[in-house]
Amino acid sequence: MTNCRARVLTVALVLGIGAALAPTARAEDVTLQVWSHEADEPAKVAFREMAARAVEKAHPGVHVKITWYEKNPMYAALKTALPAGQGPDVFYLEPDQTDYITSGYLLPLDDLVKWDNIYDWARAVWIHDGKTWGVPQEAYTNEIYYNKDELKKLGVMLPANAQFGEADFLALIKKVRAEGITPVSQGVGDRPYPGAYIVGESLLHKLGLEDYGKLLKGQLSYKDPRVIAVLTWVKELVDAGAYPKNFMTLKLGESHYYFYQKPGALMFPVGSWFTGRAFVPVDKGGMPENFPLGLMLFPAIDNAACNECKTLGVGASFVVNAATKHKDIAAEFLNAMSTPEMGKRWIETIYLQTAIKTGDVQFTGPYAAYFTELLERQKGEKYFIGMPVDNLEGRCKDAFAQVMNAGFPGGLLTVDKAAAMMDEACLKKN
Amino acid sequence: MASLTPETSLRLRRTPLLVFVFSYTLLTGGPFLWVATMSLRTTAEILANPYAPPTTLHWEKFYEAWVNSNYGTYFRNSAVTVVSAVIIITIIGAMAAHGLARYRFRGARAVRFAILSGMVLPPQLIILSLFQILLGYGLYNSLLGLTLVYVAAHLGMTVYILEGFFAQIPQDLFDAARMDSYGDLEIFWRITLPIGLPAIFTAITLNFIILWNEFLFAVVFLTDDEKRTLPLGIMHFMGSHQLDIGMVATGLMIAIAPILILYAVFSETMIRGMTAGAVR
Amino acid sequence: MSEASPRAEESAAPSGLRVPSFGASVADARRAPPSVILALVGPALFMYLAFTLYPVLRTFWNSVHTIKPHGVEEWVGLKNFAELLTQDPVFWIAVENTVIFTIVATVFDVLGGLLLALCLFVKVPLARFLRVVWFTPVLMSYVVVGVIWVWIFDFDWGTLNTLLRWLGLESLTQSWLGDPRWALWAVMTAHIWKWLGFNMIIFLAALYALPAEVLGAAELDNCGWLAKLVYIIIPMLRPTIVNLLVLSFIGKMMVFDLIWIMTGGGPLWSTETVSTYVYKRAFDWNTFDLGYPSAIAVVWCVIILLFVVLMNRLLRQRDRLEF
């Protein structure tokens, strides 16, 4: 074999393999690319696909393709695709991802979306610089779910306003532990926020809406005596054995199971999107049918500014890529997901609150009692919009995940150490 | 203590050894057996009793993973990408190794340094800029792009192994070939390759194993579900909502299967090849 | 290098030296027209230039810029590096973790591999079967290994704690991956578990390649097995040991996949390594700026290169470890 022929052969081989691997071109009219999270929640998949089909029906020649991801791989993919000018037309985003706005990757939606279908407070979360950047779909409040029968067995009565005081709550924790049951199911194995539910809501109660906001934004020190008082009380809960032994590694899905199946816990602080996972068949990890589910408010703190305050979060939202070539179709898709009918469908199939206005919905079906109780718990509540993670960025967010969410409730840090670490990462130095 | 006969003393010395061997076998084989049993049980069964053997063999889970969860597609993508990459690496790696081992030419040291230095670079160093470049070449989110990245990433190690081996082939053979007026590429084809086969086999095996299991580049460079490779597919079941342990185990088995089959069939040759090439 | 493959013919030349046997044709056999050289080395070189060197240069470029909104790149000179080296405590924690991980895991890996190879070498029963089983973890991907070991370390139903409880040692049960004291060692265990088989196989072949006369002579001199090991086998295996140390070292310095799957760098940064930190800064933090993570990657690469050169100098013995 001569040199020349060998060379040609090699080149041909490489080209051949290249041709086999190259993506085949497809001739299509218009394809709207949508990237969405929540691949493993069939009700949400069905919901969004339904909107996709509605758009396709209204516009022949339009194809809506939804690619389903897990959240972190999706963010990683977006982070590489968008700067390369390659991202999808529409994608899922949560309100804490503000860097997409500041980096100019999103399209303002004020003129594209029918806003009269969306609650104002939900829309407000997405307003920056006077423009609205995302369409909120999902709203939730932070609640404590608990096992009614278990509480009765312990001989403890829930106060009339469904809120225990500091001392009573601590006593309850100790009592439950003495029975050999885990008082609070919680796990931070795969999320940067669950461990901070109790301490976060307690801080909100103590400080009130304005100062809590300041604390999160680094304008108030964690060494403030009010903050220290709350942290000290939470430390007492932790030391009394409030959380499971495998708190640090328990995953979110597992913490659900821990609460209502095995080994069972008394309480489960979580966002009200809890129902999205709980109200599914048991063999898919759902709650047993006759589980005595109750709702209580986060404990009342002594000398608090606002014990009737509660965190309200906006979750799943959708945004439009600033570089999209299909602006109007994208808007169509967003609107298709935001009609009152779709809002009703959201609540009925996904069992979550929504940012979509649904008018007066009569709750029917197996979960009517739950939704009634949920609305009860919302009466008279004042809301702080946004979970802590939605309001933090960069190093402060990382520290929050490691300290307030994991280390401190995990019993690994003292009050002073935790406060010092948080200040170091978050407090704005003039 | 009474004096020990040679036989008993030998046996005594052996017991701790045997205990160690047994324990280590349990440690390496055990987890794998555990995953195998879990792959045939449903998640509910597993959570009820993690260590029980399967009562009913749920073979349908494999079908479900392959078809419903797109494992068939992931498998195909992995196969196409990895096989192509390994073929390309082997060919151009062997050529480069031969060139560096056999010939003296200006700049040889620089070339050797360049290609081998690729081994030392952490993937994080280049991943951030690679996607910009892949886009420039029009290869982002494509299996071809991923394949080329794989080739570049493993060329260094392949050349390292092959060059070391090729250099050991006695010069006499080549001198004799020259005397018989063989062309240069013929020398490569007829002498280096056949003799170097054990080392080449080593390289192929190592590259295949590493690339089949490669995760980081695939996660960053592939965005279409249709293009995902197997390691990404396994992560699919570790969703944010339910940890479907049973299906994860099934997925693991599908991912391990090809390599295990290959290994079971070729273990002798594989090991002989690996050691021949890598031993200095 | 001295333990040549059994297939290569006995060469009169000592290792490393190419003694010409045919005086006149040396020039012939060792030189070739540039076109041939190019054909042989060209493709590999091209891949290197296009997919390795260029990205590296691009990363260096990124590291002295900050990417601002709208994709604008702003020159910041050495600001990223300054910030990294003086104001970033997480980076130094990551470095410390990586160094500990690398050194300890490498030592255990190589020693363990040698130990296992010796076990097989002295012909325990079922040696051939064991050789296959002990090699299996090497074949599994990091995803598989990570998931399996997360299950083993699970607090409630994981194998380790279940075993401890079964032995009545309930008090020793821990949240292995959730406790900053244990997490790094737990991850290390998984990593070593995966790679021991590889080192074992290499050592085994090296052992088989040892000249039998030397071992026989030692036998005659009535050397105890320990003496034989220390004074004869290990020195003769030195090139292999060095080789494996270097390979293992490099691999462990860059460890990412396993840690990412098992702990994600937690708890409390106890398993944060430089590679996980780079990934986090680039993809997890709310920023599109790639300048800073690139700076981290650059610094780390320099450190690795320094270590490799250092190891080369210290351990090299006229061996062909050319980098």
Side-chain angles (χ1 to χ4, degrees):
Chain A
M1 210 192 275
T2 63
N3 293 344
C4 188
R5 242 193 279 161
R7 251 180 287 169
V8 169
L9 205 64
T10 318
V11 172
L13 194 64
V14 172
L15 281 178
I17 296 179
L21 291 174
T24 51
R26 267 182 274 165
E28 224 140 27
D29 305 45
V30 170
T31 306
L32 190 75
Q33 297 280 2
V34 180
W35 287 6
S36 177
H37 167 46
E38 293 164 334
D40 50 340
E41 287 195 73
K44 288 187 183 162
V45 172
F47 180 88
R48 292 173 191 151
E49 292 286 356
M50 194 167 146
R53 300 292 90 77
V55 172
E56 284 174 351
K57 211 163 102 171
H59 299 264
V62 164
H63 193 64
V64 178
K65 179 161 185 290
I66 308 184
T67 308
W68 294 94
Y69 278 89
E70 287 310 312
K71 201 196 294 194
N72 286 332
M74 187 186 71
Y75 285 162
L78 282 169
K79 287 253 161 72
T80 51
L82 287 174
Q86 277 270 308
D89 298 291
V90 174
F91 54 95
Y92 172 110
L93 206 60
E94 288 177 11
D96 63 326
Q97 304 283 315
T98 49
D99 47 322
Y100 289 80
I101 302 176
T102 51
S103 301
Y105 290 120
L106 303 184
L107 203 62
L109 300 172
D110 303 79
D111 303 321
L112 289 170
V113 170
K114 296 198 185 73
W115 289 108
D116 21 325
N117 278 343
I118 308 279
Y119 285 114
D120 286 333
W121 48 261
R123 180 181 176 179
V125 164
W126 275 106
I127 297 185
H128 295 267
D129 291 332
K131 301 207 190 75
T132 319
W133 300 93
V135 176
Q137 257 196 345
E138 177 188 39
Y140 58 89
T141 47
N142 286 347
E143 312 284 346
I144 298 187
Y145 292 88
Y146 74 97
N147 187 330
K148 280 191 174 141
D149 284 350
E150 201 56 56
L151 196 65
K152 224 189 292 177
K153 244 195 277 176
L154 290 163
V156 179
M157 278 281 286
L158 187 69
N161 65 347
Q163 199 174 33
F164 282 104
E166 265 193 43
D168 288 336
F169 195 74
L170 179 60
L172 177 63
I173 299 280
K174 290 194 176 140
K175 193 161 186 179
V176 177
R177 250 310 159 197
E179 301 284 325
I181 305 173
T182 307
V184 179
S185 171
Q186 202 96 87
V188 297
D190 61 347
R191 287 293 187 279
Y193 59 79
Y197 275 128
I198 291 187
V199 70
E201 295 298 302
S202 306
L203 282 170
L204 173 59
H205 288 173
K206 183 87 174 185
L207 297 170
L209 293 172
E210 206 185 309
D211 280 355
Y212 182 62
K214 281 206 195 128
L215 181 71
L216 291 180
K217 291 211 187 335
Q219 293 160 346
L220 183 64
S221 164
Y222 273 82
K223 298 200 179 122
D224 184 295
R226 296 170 292 169
V227 178
I228 299 284
V230 170
L231 291 179
T232 312
W233 176 67
V234 174
K235 187 83 170 64
E236 283 179 46
L237 297 177
V238 170
D239 291 339
Y243 291 119
K245 292 239 171 66
N246 54 347
F247 167 82
M248 295 292 287
T249 51
L250 195 64
K251 297 191 162 66
L252 186 62
E254 291 172 343
S255 63
H256 281 76
Y257 196 79
Y258 196 111
F259 168 59
Y260 49 60
Q261 279 277 26
K262 206 170 107 151
L266 176 66
M267 295 179 275
F268 185 37
V270 72
S272 53
W273 35 256
F274 161 82
T275 52
R277 293 159 217 227
F279 293 171
V280 297
V282 174
D283 59 346
K284 292 251 179 287
M287 203 170 63
E289 272 216 38
N290 46 7
F291 188 83
L293 189 67
L295 279 152
M296 69 164 87
L297 298 173
F298 279 84
I301 305 295
D302 303 337
N303 303 321
C306 178
N307 272 325
E308 67 274 17
C309 283
K310 195 188 256 205
T311 300
L312 185 148
V314 171
S317 312
F318 279 86
V319 296
V320 177
N321 189 342
T324 181
K325 300 186 179 57
H326 311 297
K327 213 166 56 174
D328 298 310
I329 305 285
E332 280 286 315
F333 180 63
L334 295 177
N335 285 327
M337 287 195 292
S338 315
T339 63
E341 295 76 42
M342 288 301 264
K344 188 154 175 287
R345 192 187 173 77
W346 175 275
I347 296 186
E348 283 173 349
T349 57
I350 302 176
Y351 308 118
L352 256 73
Q353 291 125 300
T354 172
I356 307 167
K357 286 188 192 156
T358 52
D360 285 312
V361 177
Q362 299 292 55
F363 292 118
T364 53
Y367 302 111
Y370 165 76
F371 281 105
T372 316
E373 191 176 351
L374 182 66
L375 285 186
E376 267 289 316
R377 297 282 171 263
Q378 312 291 12
K379 283 215 181 84
E381 291 290 295
K382 297 210 199 76
Y383 295 111
F384 181 84
I385 311 283
M387 292 276 284
V389 287
D390 297 343
N391 289 303
L392 300 172
E393 352 181 88
R395 213 174 128 207
C396 183
K397 192 168 175 180
D398 191 35
F400 186 88
Q402 298 276 12
V403 175
M404 285 281 124
N405 167 62
F408 180 64
L412 299 169
L413 295 169
T414 61
V415 171
D416 295 319
K417 193 96 206 314
M421 286 171 87
M422 286 308 291
D423 266 355
E424 219 229 299
C426 299
L427 192 61
K428 294 217 189 327
K429 293 126 189 136
N430 311 352
Chain B
M1 201 188 209
S3 65
L4 298 161
T5 61
E7 291 83 39
T8 29
S9 74
L10 191 73
R11 223 174 297 136
L12 276 175
R13 242 186 301 145
R14 286 222 160 215
T15 318
L17 181 66
L18 288 175
V19 168
F20 172 73
V21 164
F22 179 73
S23 329
Y24 190 70
T25 312
L26 211 60
L27 190 61
T28 36
F32 173 69
L33 268 175
W34 190 33
V35 172
T37 55
M38 281 202 281
S39 70
L40 290 170
R41 306 170 70 201
T42 63
T43 306
E45 285 171 10
I46 296 176
L47 288 173
N49 191 348
Y51 297 102
T55 41
T56 35
L57 298 175
H58 293 274
W59 294 106
E60 71 273 9
K61 287 175 65 193
F62 282 91
Y63 179 77
E64 192 187 317
W66 190 268
V67 173
N68 297 349
S69 311
N70 241 349
Y71 259 60
T73 315
Y74 303 152
F75 191 93
R76 195 191 63 224
N77 292 338
S78 270
V80 165
T81 318
V82 175
V83 168
S84 318
V86 170
I87 292 178
I88 301 179
I89 295 178
T90 311
I91 293 176
I92 66 180
M95 281 165 41
H98 175 76
L100 287 172
R102 273 306 116 206
Y103 299 103
R104 290 199 200 110
F105 54 95
R106 255 210 315 246
R109 287 192 70 143
V111 171
R112 176 180 292 125
F113 176 79
I115 297 184
L116 291 184
S117 69
M119 269 178 79
V120 190
L121 295 177
Q124 281 75 27
L125 186 66
I126 52 177
I127 202 167
L128 303 175
S129 35
L130 254 182
F131 81 86
Q132 291 169 311
I133 294 168
L134 280 187
L135 179 76
Y137 295 153
L139 293 170
Y140 181 72
N141 192 28
S142 73
L143 289 181
L144 176 61
L146 190 64
T147 307
L148 291 175
V149 169
Y150 281 170
V151 170
H154 285 262
L155 214 43
M157 182 183 73
T158 307
V159 171
Y160 178 68
I161 294 178
L162 293 181
E163 197 215 341
F165 191 82
F166 289 174
Q168 292 177 32
I169 305 179
Q171 186 61 27
D172 318 15
L173 292 174
F174 295 95
D175 297 336
R178 263 309 163 91
M179 299 275 280
D180 292 345
S181 12
Y182 275 36
D184 291 291
L185 274 157
E186 248 183 322
I187 291 181
F188 173 64
W189 194 251
R190 286 174 186 264
I191 301 186
T192 311
L193 282 188
I195 298 185
L197 214 50
I200 293 180
F201 209 76
T202 301
I204 291 182
T205 313
L206 269 175
N207 284 331
F208 189 85
I209 295 177
I210 298 179
L211 287 176
W212 183 263
N213 296 329
E214 203 283 325
F215 175 70
L216 180 62
F217 284 135
V219 115
V220 176
F221 294 138
L222 292 177
T223 53
D224 252 351
D225 188 54
E226 290 301 307
K227 303 209 177 85
R228 286 194 182 131
T229 54
L230 260 182
L232 272 56
I234 299 179
M235 300 297 285
H236 174 84
F237 285 119
M238 301 174 64
S240 41
H241 293 222
Q242 314 299 345
L243 182 58
D244 199 340
I245 299 183
M247 287 310 280
V248 172
T250 309
L252 292 184
M253 287 305 287
I254 296 183
I256 303 177
I259 299 205
L260 261 162
I261 295 175
L262 258 175
Y263 183 63
V265 174
F266 292 117
S267 69
E268 273 306 309
T269 355
M270 233 193 237
I271 292 179
R272 230 185 312 138
M274 281 185 60
T275 57
V279 169
R280 302 315 200 90
Chain C
M1 175 75 179
S2 45
E3 281 71 59
S5 122
R7 296 251 187 88
E9 295 165 39
E10 286 301 318
S11 175
S15 53
L17 281 173
R18 299 189 182 98
V19 175
S21 353
F22 288 53
S25 51
V26 166
D28 270 0
R30 294 226 142 244
R31 294 225 175 276
S35 60
V36 172
I37 302 286
L38 202 61
L40 285 176
V41 175
L45 201 57
F46 169 74
M47 290 302 291
Y48 169 77
L49 289 173
F51 289 98
T52 308
L53 184 64
Y54 181 29
V56 170
L57 293 177
R58 194 73 181 261
T59 303
F60 276 94
W61 170 265
N62 280 341
S63 67
V64 288
H65 288 76
T66 296
I67 312 220
K68 291 212 120 52
H70 300 279
V72 167
E73 291 182 2
E74 177 190 305
W75 169 267
V76 291
L78 295 173
K79 175 162 148 297
N80 283 335
F81 293 97
E83 189 187 324
L84 176 67
L85 294 173
T86 55
Q87 289 174 8
D88 196 338
V90 180
F91 174 69
W92 291 109
I93 297 177
V95 170
E96 186 189 318
N97 287 338
T98 315
V99 168
I100 295 178
F101 184 95
T102 305
I103 295 181
V104 175
T106 301
V107 167
F108 270 96
D109 236 353
V110 175
L111 279 183
L114 183 57
L115 182 64
L116 291 175
L118 287 170
C119 283
L120 292 181
F121 190 56
V122 298
K123 295 198 181 55
V124 292
L126 301 171
R128 289 182 60 164
F129 166 72
L130 291 179
R131 201 167 55 182
V132 172
V133 174
W134 290 358
F135 189 68
T136 333
V138 180
L139 300 172
M140 301 187 194
S141 93
Y142 278 120
V143 177
V144 175
V145 174
V147 170
I148 291 181
W149 278 91
V150 165
W151 288 345
I152 292 181
F153 283 129
D154 186 286
F155 183 80
D156 287 319
W157 50 273
T159 319
L160 184 55
N161 280 348
T162 309
L163 192 67
L164 286 174
R165 288 188 194 115
W166 187 66
L167 290 173
L169 295 169
E170 171 103 36
S171 54
L172 289 181
T173 59
Q174 307 276 355
S175 175
W176 300 102
L177 291 172
D179 193 328
R181 292 171 297 169
W182 301 110
L184 191 64
W185 304 98
V187 177
M188 222 186 284
T189 309
H191 203 266
I192 295 174
W193 179 81
K194 178 175 154 62
W195 286 109
L196 269 178
F198 179 76
N199 291 339
M200 169 192 83
I201 293 285
I202 307 284
F203 274 126
L204 193 61
L207 283 171
Y208 277 121
L210 289 180
E213 315 90 56
V214 183
L215 291 175
E219 201 70 55
L220 263 109
D221 287 345
N222 234 339
C223 291
W225 61 269
L226 188 63
K228 251 205 297 192
L229 184 66
V230 173
Y231 292 114
I232 301 185
I233 296 183
I234 290 190
M236 289 179 78
L237 287 179
R238 193 187 160 120
T240 314
I241 295 181
V242 168
N243 224 10
L244 286 178
L245 276 176
V246 172
L247 280 177
S248 178
F249 197 85
I250 296 175
K252 286 172 179 36
M253 279 275 225
M254 304 199 275
V255 65
F256 171 79
D257 300 28
L258 191 65
I259 300 189
W260 194 248
I261 291 176
M262 289 182 80
T263 60
L268 280 184
W269 299 286
S270 56
T271 57
E272 190 84 64
T273 55
V274 179
S275 23
T276 57
Y277 189 45
V278 169
Y279 185 90
K280 271 190 192 166
R281 284 304 290 245
F283 297 112
D284 278 359
W285 285 41
N286 284 13
T287 169
F288 276 91
D289 172 35
L290 293 180
Y292 192 82
S294 297
I296 305 178
V298 167
V299 168
W300 192 234
C301 183
V302 168
I303 295 182
I304 295 185
L305 278 172
L306 279 176
F307 260 102
V308 172
V309 168
L310 199 70
M311 284 192 82
N312 254 343
R313 286 284 140 92
L314 284 178
L315 301 172
R316 234 170 98 149
Q317 232 191 357
R318 277 183 299 140
D319 285 297
R320 287 206 59 221
L321 275 179
E322 259 143 356
F323 270 88

